[in-house]
Amino acid sequence: MTQMQDKQTIQVNGFDVAYRFDGPKEGRVLLVANSLMANGSMWDWNVPALADRYRVLRYDKRGHGGSEVSPGPYSIAQLADDAIGLLDALGIEKVHFMGLSIGGMIGQQLGARYPERIYSLSLCNTASEMPPRSLWKERFEIAKTQGIAGLVDGTIKRWFTAPFIERAPAEIEKVRQMILGTNVDGYMACGSAVRDMAQSTMLLKIKTPTLVLSGRYDPACTVEQGIVLNRLIDGSKMVVLEDAAHLSNIEQPAAFNRAVRDFIDSIDNAL
């Protein structure tokens, strides 16, 4: 599960983007954006709960998964422009959007800068700023000297609670292989985008219906950082998932899927 099965590629902003669709062709499109060190397979736990109604569009961001690695560093604004470029290339006018971690950071940009393209935003396990810079210096040094393998254990400990790591070895192994499949240059280029991000004030521009979803034990994008999004995005709704860390969509898929599905349905039914 290191790459999306049945994926296709399309040229966007001068590089190849890997993507795949699930769900009915006549359904409204739900665009989903992955975390750092992930590819579209991270949504395998969630797509079945959404694809009966929505046409779920997964894609690998620049530098990740089956997409091309262009020279970095990247910015979150650039990654958001890529998402819009993908929709343009596929002839899709407007979407529901769900993103986790850096995917949610991309979503903030979309809501603020491309509101006419977005029906709803589900911003999961994400933040609008990611201090301190020193944290990235250390991670990039490990990536340069030891490769992604040097980061995998620490990443899994941030992404999941200890009880889940213990009780779900098969899930953890799938995630481990996904992380190990990440290109070092792509990781550093996207990690630089997260490091340099400062978009709290941008949140004030978002008027799109928004769900902010946090994991109670997420050390990477904390509940407190989720509360900042909730307070600054007008009319947003917040859900905190218990017994979940950073990849709450994998650790608590039933609760995650229900929260997201109820929210998107409520917006979609009113369209």
Side-chain angles (χ1 to χ4, degrees):
M1 202 170 89
T2 53
Q3 301 291 353
M4 285 184 286
Q5 300 304 309
D6 307 321
K7 73 177 188 297
Q8 300 169 275
T9 57
I10 195 166
Q11 186 86 180
V12 173
N13 296 337
F15 75 106
D16 285 335
V17 175
Y19 71 96
R20 69 168 280 177
F21 282 109
D22 293 275
K25 285 194 172 166
E26 67 281 0
R28 283 204 181 89
V29 174
L30 168 61
L31 176 66
V32 296
N34 317 330
S35 72
L36 203 59
M37 303 166 109
N39 56 52
S41 69
M42 71 168 272
W43 300 106
D44 287 352
W45 290 262
N46 317 109
V47 169
L50 298 160
D52 60 313
R53 173 169 179 171
Y54 300 101
R55 193 168 189 223
V56 182
L57 171 55
R58 298 186 244 186
Y59 77 102
D60 292 338
K61 67 189 160 291
R62 184 188 288 256
H64 277 64
S67 293
E68 210 173 306
V69 183
S70 64
Y74 312 151
S75 69
I76 303 291
Q78 179 184 22
L79 297 173
D81 292 343
D82 289 344
I84 293 298
L86 175 63
L87 297 183
D88 289 345
L90 295 171
I92 299 166
E93 199 174 318
K94 200 165 183 177
V95 297
H96 294 287
F97 177 88
M98 173 171 70
L100 190 146
S101 195
I102 189 175
M105 297 163 195
I106 291 166
Q108 294 163 42
Q109 290 266 343
L110 297 179
R113 294 173 49 225
Y114 297 100
E116 72 288 351
R117 307 297 294 271
I118 309 292
Y119 293 118
S120 74
L121 286 173
S122 296
L123 306 177
C124 310
N125 298 86
T126 192
S128 52
E129 324 222 352
M130 286 290 284
R133 288 180 72 87
S134 56
L135 171 149
W136 294 100
K137 189 176 179 187
E138 185 187 348
R139 287 181 193 169
F140 291 171
E141 198 52 47
I142 292 170
K144 280 182 201 162
T145 56
Q146 300 172 41
I148 294 296
L151 294 167
V152 69
D153 289 338
T155 300
I156 283 173
K157 283 177 185 161
R158 278 194 308 280
W159 281 9
F160 303 105
T161 65
F164 182 76
I165 292 171
E166 201 169 305
R167 77 168 182 268
E171 265 80 359
I172 295 300
E173 185 53 31
K174 284 181 190 174
V175 172
R176 179 182 293 278
Q177 293 308 319
M178 179 179 73
I179 294 169
L180 289 171
T182 304
N183 179 284
V184 169
D185 293 333
Y187 161 71
M188 289 174 59
C190 282
S192 300
V194 177
R195 178 195 65 194
D196 298 340
M197 171 190 64
Q199 47 194 47
S200 295
T201 51
M202 181 183 280
L203 301 176
L204 298 167
K205 293 182 180 172
I206 299 176
K207 305 301 175 198
T208 303
T210 302
L211 170 69
V212 176
L213 188 148
S214 297
R216 177 68 69 196
Y217 301 112
D218 187 347
C221 295
T222 62
V223 171
E224 288 72 23
Q225 287 170 300
I227 290 169
V228 171
L229 268 68
N230 179 223
R231 285 186 178 155
L232 294 179
I233 299 174
D234 191 33
S236 64
K237 176 187 176 188
M238 182 157 183
V239 171
V240 178
L241 294 186
E242 302 300 334
D243 301 318
H246 192 51
L247 260 60
S248 63
N249 67 306
I250 296 174
E251 185 157 2
Q252 293 292 344
F256 180 97
N257 294 342
R258 189 165 54 245
V260 170
R261 180 66 191 257
D262 288 352
F263 171 71
I264 299 174
D265 283 357
S266 72
I267 305 306
D268 201 70
N269 290 341
L271 292 173

